[in-house]
Amino acid sequence: MSAPLYEGKAKIVYATDDPQVYRTYFKDDATAFNAQKRGQISGKGAINCAVSSYLFRVLAQAGVTNHFIEQISEREMNVQAVEIVPLEVVVRNLAAGSLCKQTGLAEGTAIVPPLVEFYLKNDALGDPLLTPDRLRLLKIATEAEVQHLQTAALQVNALLQTFFNRCGITLVDFKLEFGRDRQGQILLADEISPDTCRLWDQQESDPEKRILDKDRFRRDLGDVEAAYARVLDLVAQQAQA
C-alpha cells in the first residue's frame, strides 16, 4: 500500500494508479470535542464505510453529484479525486449539541426551515462558525459556490430525511463536506455516517436510549458499537428494499 496522501481523525486517503481516483480507508479511531477526547469504537470503520456507500448511492440515484465510485473492501472505497473545500456545512432539523449550548434552545426543538451553517474546517482554530462576511473575507469559496453549497446541503437534507424516516430514524442534524474535482466542479465528498449525523431511533422515547450516533461516545452513554450496527442494519434494509 502506498504512503497516504492524507490521514485525518477517522479516515486515511491514498493515491491509486489512476490520478482521478483516490482510495479511502475508514478507521476505528473515534474523536470528539475537536479531538480533545479520543478512543476507539470497535468495527466503526467498516460500519461507516458501508453506511456511507449506501447513502452516497441513494443520493447519486436522486441526482446529487458525489465522489463515491465503489466500495472495494469492508473498510475501503474508491472515490473521485477532489480537493476538499475547507468548510464544514452543517444542516440542523432539530436543536441539539452546540446549538443548544450557544442559544439556550431546548434539545429537540424543531427548526423550520432547516438551518444551514458554515464552519471553518480547522481544528487548531476550533472549527469556528463563519458569518457570510467572514466567508467573503477568507475567500474560501465564491459567492456562487457558497450558494451552491447551501442549495446542495438542503437538497441532501430533504433526501436523507425521507430515507431515514423510512428507516425509522430521525435525522436531527449532520455535517457535510464538499470537494472540487480537476475540472473545478464541486462534489459532495467525505462520508455520511453515525460519525457525521445525529440520528435518533423513532421507536425509543428515552432521550438517551434513542441516540444512535457519536453522541453515545461523546457523552459516555455506552453501547456505541450496538448503536452504529443498528444504523447499518436499518440503512441496508431500506437501501436494498
Side-chain angles (χ1 to χ4, degrees), residues 71-213:
Q71 184 174 350
I72 58 172
S73 74
E74 188 178 56
R75 292 172 177 266
E76 295 174 298
M77 62 171 67
N78 280 342
V79 299
Q80 292 186 56
V82 297
E83 180 182 355
I84 293 293
V85 178
L87 290 174
E88 296 182 349
V89 185
V90 174
V91 184
R92 301 181 184 275
N93 298 306
L94 300 175
S98 62
L99 184 65
C100 294
K101 293 176 184 175
Q102 293 166 2
T103 65
L105 285 170
E107 184 177 72
T109 300
I111 301 172
V112 183
L115 179 64
V116 179
E117 299 176 323
F118 294 91
Y119 294 80
L120 181 63
K121 185 175 164 62
N122 187 315
D123 285 343
L125 298 177
D127 298 333
L129 175 66
L130 296 178
T131 64
D133 284 345
R134 287 188 178 188
L135 269 170
R136 280 190 286 271
L137 174 67
L138 295 175
K139 298 179 180 177
I140 293 170
T142 66
E143 299 255 359
E145 287 176 331
V146 170
Q147 184 58 55
H148 171 78
L149 293 175
Q150 182 162 13
T151 301
L154 289 171
Q155 180 188 12
V156 169
N157 182 49
L159 293 166
L160 289 182
Q161 273 193 301
T162 299
F163 179 85
F164 277 122
N165 272 327
R166 291 203 295 263
C167 297
I169 294 173
T170 297
L171 178 61
V172 177
D173 61 30
F174 61 98
K175 178 202 78 171
L176 297 176
E177 294 187 22
F178 295 82
R180 296 184 182 92
D181 66 13
R182 302 295 167 88
Q183 290 72 46
Q185 180 184 17
I186 291 182
L187 310 177
L188 178 62
D190 193 47
E191 67 178 283
I192 306 173
S193 72
D195 266 15
T196 63
C197 303
R198 277 194 175 88
L199 305 168
W200 291 351
D201 188 338
Q202 293 176 358
Q203 295 182 9
E204 267 293 349
S205 58
D206 184 283
E208 291 188 353
K209 290 180 180 178
R210 68 185 176 187
I211 294 170
L212 296 175
D213 56 75

